[in-house]
């Protein structure tokens, strides 16, 4: 593994140069990879693995929307697309990519097919870390591994098609065959990771749940909403408020941060903006740090996992989620956003 310095801390990292695709294909040449679940990660990982030359099959409930999506994506019923139990039987590597709540329900079925020497693969530390809540306790004679792409399955696929890649973490929970390490790295490269950094199941799930509730998804919407409301309450129009809150960030400033860091983005703004941003980031940090501390402790206590299991196990969870997304979509801020997006010059 390459030793790479991240801001003064040296970490072990696996790169594509060090573990090329040819080596990954050689490592898994006798394996059949069964992708169980075809939601968001399922398609991204399955298609990338297939296009990279691995032997892949998909297991999905017949007759639903996702079955049709799999067919539309080129998976052939009876050849590469099967009912879940058939795929579980044929697969030597089981990539368990149902929703975290769905994994609990299907676990008794999955367990039946985990014969000695097979591999159980997750993209989240959830099921194993919270095993008291999920009941997911694999037999001792299978390998249990994790590759968690740090981003949406949709981005994993898009970046792959552009010849780029998302970074992923990897972890080994159980090494029954003595080969878990090379298998997990081969799979990480196979699904299209840019590079792989090592973690364990507990650290993966606690950082992931914190990140998505925090800056990646929850906190960002909270900060957008707060600033948008203040601007509107002070007489600014929706287009002005939206542009100064969201559009300029995603279209102009975040690409600069992605390219070369925060100081580079600051340096490309006015000295007036720089003065203000350098002063104001600190009170924002002070104000939000207690919320992040509360969030982390809720995650650590297992309360966030429990909430997600409870709500996502209900039969009508999809309708409820859709209703909440609709409320967000129909809020003035995001309606203004829809109009702003339409007005972006096309060429
Ligand atoms: N969405 C993403 O891009 C990311 C997801 N992950 C992890 O990857 C795993 C898969 O997540 P997603 O792709 O978001 O899943 P998802 O929420 O899209 O669901 C995947 C599939 O599971 C099926 N399903 C749900 N309950 C079921 C049940 N009881 N029986 C049979 N099928 C059922 C759904 O119909 C869907 O086709 C999770 O562990 C998640 O935390 C990790 C990184 C990013
Ligand atoms: C995309 C991702 O990695 C998330 C936000 O953690 C998730 O979808 O669970
Ligand atoms: Mg994540
Ligand atoms: Mg997540």
């Amino acid at each position: 593994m390459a030793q790479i310095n991240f801001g003064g801390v040296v970490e072990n990292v696996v790169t594509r140069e060090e573990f090329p695709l040819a080596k990954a294909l050689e490592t898994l040449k006798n394996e059949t990879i069964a992708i169980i679940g075809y939601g968001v990660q399922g398609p991204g990982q399955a298609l990338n693995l297939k296009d990279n030359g691995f032997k892949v099959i998909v297991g999905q409930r017949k007759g639903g929307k996702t079955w049709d999506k799999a067919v539309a994506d080129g998976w052939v019923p009876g050849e590469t697309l099967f009912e879940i139990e058939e795929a579980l039987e044929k697969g030597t590597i089981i990539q368990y990519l149902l929703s975290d709540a769905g994994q609990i329900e299907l676990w008794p079925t999955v367990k039946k097919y985990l014969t000695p020497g097979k591999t159980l693969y997750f993209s989240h530390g959830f099921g194993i870390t919270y095993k008291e809540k999920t009941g997911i306790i694999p037999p001792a004679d299978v390998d249990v591994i994790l590759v968690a792409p740090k981003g949406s399955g949709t981005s994993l696929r898009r970046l792959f098609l552009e010849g780029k890649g998302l970074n992923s973490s990897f972890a080994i929970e159980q090494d029954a065959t003595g080969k878990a390490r090379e298998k997990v790295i081969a799979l990480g490269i196979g699904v299209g990771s840019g590079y792989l950094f090592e973690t364990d199941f507990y650290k993966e799930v606690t950082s992931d749940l914190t990140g998505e509730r925090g800056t990646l998804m929850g906190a960002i919407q909270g900060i957008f909403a707060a600033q948008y409301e203040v601007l509107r309450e002070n007489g600014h129009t929706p287009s002005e408020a939206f542009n100064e809150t969201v559009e300029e960030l995603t279209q102009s400033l975040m690409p600069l941060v992605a390219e070369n860091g925060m100081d580079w983005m600051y340096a490309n703004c006015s000295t007036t903006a720089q003065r203000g941003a350098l002063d104001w980031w600190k009170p924002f940090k002070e104000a939000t740090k207690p919320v992040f501390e509360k969030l982390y402790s809720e995650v650590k206590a297992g309360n966030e996992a429990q909430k997600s299991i409870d709500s996502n196990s209900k039969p009508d969870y999809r309708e409820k989620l859709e209703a909440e997304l609709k409320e967000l979509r129909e809020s003035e801020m995001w309606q203004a956003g829809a109009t702003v997006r339409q007005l972006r010059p096309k060429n």
Side-chain angles (χ1 to χ4, degrees):
M1 278 202 294
Q3 301 254 302
I4 299 195
N5 185 325
F6 290 85
V9 178
V10 176
E11 298 184 37
N12 290 326
V13 159
V14 182
T15 62
R16 287 179 184 176
E17 286 70 43
E18 188 188 343
F19 203 103
L21 184 58
K23 188 169 167 188
L25 286 164
E26 175 63 26
T27 305
L28 302 179
K29 65 171 189 268
N30 296 321
E31 309 279 356
T32 299
I33 303 168
I35 306 287
I36 307 301
Y38 207 72
V40 183
Q41 278 298 316
Q45 296 193 25
L47 292 167
N48 289 0
L49 282 165
K50 184 176 82 155
D51 289 352
N52 270 335
F54 295 88
K55 188 170 176 214
V56 187
I57 59 175
V58 171
Q60 183 54 48
R61 286 184 293 203
K62 210 172 190 159
K65 265 205 307 229
T66 33
W67 177 276
D68 297 341
K69 176 173 161 43
V71 172
D73 283 352
W75 302 99
V76 183
E79 278 177 37
T80 52
L81 174 61
F82 300 94
E83 287 276 7
I84 288 177
E85 291 212 31
E86 210 177 337
L88 284 167
E89 206 219 312
K90 288 188 184 337
T92 56
I93 295 176
I94 307 299
Q95 293 200 185
Y96 203 17
L97 299 179
L98 295 188
S99 70
D100 295 310
Q103 289 177 22
I104 299 173
E105 196 189 320
L106 196 72
W107 175 246
T109 307
V110 172
K111 206 177 164 183
K112 279 196 295 187
Y113 293 95
L114 291 176
T115 48
K118 281 201 186 185
T119 301
L120 178 63
Y121 165 115
F122 294 89
S123 284
H124 204 7
F126 196 102
I128 295 285
T129 299
Y130 301 113
K131 56 178 180 287
E132 279 82 22
K133 302 178 194 302
T134 64
I136 297 179
I137 302 169
D141 49 15
V142 301
D143 291 346
V144 180
I145 57 177
L146 168 149
V147 173
K150 294 292 116 183
S152 168
T154 306
S155 317
L156 185 72
R157 182 63 182 161
R158 283 187 190 166
L159 288 167
F160 177 85
L161 292 173
E162 290 169 22
K164 301 178 187 164
L166 274 183
N167 308 316
S168 304
S169 60
F170 75 96
I172 299 158
E173 175 75 10
Q174 250 174 230
D175 184 3
T177 64
K179 299 208 168 100
R181 189 166 196 92
E182 53 190 86
K183 272 193 241 171
V184 73
I185 294 171
L187 287 163
I189 297 295
V191 300
S193 309
Y195 71 85
L196 296 155
F197 63 96
E198 191 159 7
T199 187
D200 59 41
F201 278 58
Y202 172 80
K203 288 228 167 67
E204 195 286 329
V205 70
T206 47
S207 60
D208 190 83
L209 294 179
T210 301
E212 66 203 18
R213 281 156 183 70
T215 58
L216 304 179
M217 296 171 70
I220 193 108
Q221 165 60 19
I223 286 195
F224 284 170
Q227 173 169 308
Y228 183 88
E229 269 176 41
V230 169
L231 288 169
R232 290 287 288 133
E233 283 155 15
N234 284 281
H236 298 270
T237 59
S239 65
E240 188 161 67
F242 189 85
N243 273 296
E244 285 297 347
T245 302
V246 181
E247 188 72 354
E248 181 169 337
L249 181 70
T250 60
Q251 300 305 297
S252 164
L253 302 185
M254 271 299 158
L256 293 171
V257 177
E259 183 182 284
N260 218 3
M262 192 64 84
D263 67 303
W264 168 247
M265 184 269 267
Y266 281 14
N268 281 281
C269 292
S270 64
T271 52
T272 307
Q274 290 179 58
R275 178 70 268 129
L278 288 164
D279 290 341
W280 277 92
W281 76 259
K282 289 163 193 159
F284 278 110
K285 182 189 155 188
E286 294 310 312
T288 56
K289 192 157 177 211
V291 187
F292 286 103
E293 281 164 343
K294 170 106 168 73
L295 164 59
Y296 194 83
S297 75
E298 290 294 307
V299 167
K300 206 171 157 187
N303 298 339
E304 288 301 309
Q306 191 62 53
K307 274 189 208 158
S308 118
I309 292 170
D310 291 346
S311 73
N312 295 335
S313 303
K314 298 215 170 81
D316 62 346
Y317 80 96
R318 279 210 177 276
E319 292 73 20
K320 290 225 164 89
L321 281 175
E322 182 43 45
E324 286 179 77
L325 293 179
K326 183 164 181 269
E327 198 183 316
L328 209 50
R329 185 162 62 239
E330 291 181 351
S331 65
E332 186 196 277
M333 178 169 74
W334 289 109
Q335 284 298 305
T339 307
V340 168
R341 288 195 295 277
Q342 276 173 8
L343 290 168
R344 283 181 198 155
K346 290 285 176 320
N347 298 304

